[in-house]
């Protein structure tokens, strides 16, 4: 499978990710073993090292391999709980539990980043960001309000999507924006006036808040988000092991 100037890079790394996934699940490499080096995989599959790196990022995001910077990837095995993309993508998670997800963009704001946003997204002072507010539904019932901050280069892609686009994660992936790591902070917060108006709850009502900061394979922040869920709609479960830590979302 050779790289071709007539094909979009995303087709190459996604195809390679599928081939590597099949090799892993068929036991070709063995659980707990190390994958060959990026250079070896590039030669074996006839692609560039950049294509290999993107494909491995997809496998890592789906819980099939893990790695530390400067070391070869270790295969975690084929047992699957909830993939990183389902956790990152509300739409992917909703489909995984048989729900009908919906989305409506309430507001898109393009402006200079405040100091805290520069800190979270590792931007220079004076940089611009896009702030995107979306109402998320399950079976047409509002369950979550998402306030996401994107660096300007990512926000431009989001702003070009239809207001009712069910997913932002998938279109970004198709444009070569690869999510690999996320930090999650989960707590309770009182609903403000906008929360109450859009979610249909009382102002001051308790909401489950998930704050996320998502990075790419180079640890560059791509997203900082404040997601607020109505009580009784979702719960989160954390699984710890010596190999990896998995966080999953459940319908409440």
């Amino acid at each position: 499978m050779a790289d071709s100037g007539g094909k979009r890079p995303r087709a190459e790394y996604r195809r390679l990710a599928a081939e590597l996934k099949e090799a892993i699940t068929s036991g070709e490499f063995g659980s707990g073993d190390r994958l060959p080096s990026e250079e070896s995989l590039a030669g074996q599959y006839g692609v560039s090292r950049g294509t290999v790196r993107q494909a491995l990022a997809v496998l890592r995001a789906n819980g099939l391999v893990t790695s530390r910077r400067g070391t070869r990837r270790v295969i975690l095995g084929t047992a699957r709980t909830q993939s990183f993309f389902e956790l990152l993508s509300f739409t992917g998670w909703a489909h995984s539990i048989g729900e009908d997800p919906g989305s409506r963009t309430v507001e898109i704001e393009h402006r200079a980043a405040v100091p805290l946003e520069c800190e979270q997204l590792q931007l220079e002072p004076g940089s611009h960001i896009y702030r995107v507010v979306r109402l998320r539904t399950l079976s047409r019932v509002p369950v979550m309000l998402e306030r996401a901050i994107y660096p300007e280069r990512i926000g431009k892609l989001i702003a070009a999507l239809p207001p009712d686009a069910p997913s932002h994660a998938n279109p970004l992936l198709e444009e070569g924006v690869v999510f690999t790591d996320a930090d999650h902070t989960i707590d309770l917060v009182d609903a403000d006036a906008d929360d109450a108006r859009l979610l249909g709850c009382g102002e001051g009502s308790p909401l489950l808040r998930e704050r996320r900061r998502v990075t790419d394979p180079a640890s560059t922040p791509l997203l900082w988000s404040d997601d607020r869920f109505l009580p009784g709609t979702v719960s989160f479960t954390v699984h710890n092991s010596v190999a990896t830590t998995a966080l999953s979302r459940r319908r409440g």
Side-chain angles (χ1 to χ4, degrees), residues 128 130 150-158 177 216 220-222:
H128 281 69
Y130 279 81
Y150 296 94
E152 192 168 36
R153 64 184 182 89
I154 306 297
K156 287 179 179 179
L157 300 175
I158 297 295
V177 179
D216 67 8
T220 301
L222 303 176

Side-chain angles (χ1 to χ4, degrees), residues 6-77:
K7 297 179 181 178
R8 297 186 64 181
R10 65 181 177 90
E12 293 294 340
Y13 83 78
R14 293 181 71 177
R15 183 158 50 248
L16 177 58
E19 291 186 22
L20 289 173
K21 178 180 179 181
E22 183 177 352
I24 289 172
T25 56
S26 68
E28 181 177 332
F29 297 110
S31 179
D33 288 347
R34 295 183 183 274
L35 281 174
S37 67
E38 290 179 2
E39 184 176 2
S40 296
L41 289 172
Q44 179 179 347
Y45 288 91
V47 298
S48 70
R49 289 188 64 175
T51 298
V52 171
R53 195 170 296 116
Q54 285 186 296
L56 292 175
V58 172
L59 296 183
R60 181 183 177 192
N62 281 277
L64 289 174
V65 301
T66 189
S67 68
R68 292 183 178 177
R69 189 178 298 276
T71 64
R72 285 163 51 194
R73 278 72 174 177
V74 176
I75 299 169
L76 294 177

Side-chain angles (χ1 to χ4, degrees), residues 201-217:
C201 61
E203 189 170 350
S205 299
L207 300 175
L208 180 66
R209 178 172 65 174
E210 177 197 7
R211 286 175 288 177
R212 298 175 289 141
R213 193 177 74 127
V214 183
T215 58
D216 67 8

Side-chain angles (χ1 to χ4, degrees), residues 76 238-246:
L76 294 177
V238 179
H239 170 73
N240 291 309
S241 75
V242 295
T244 187
T245 296

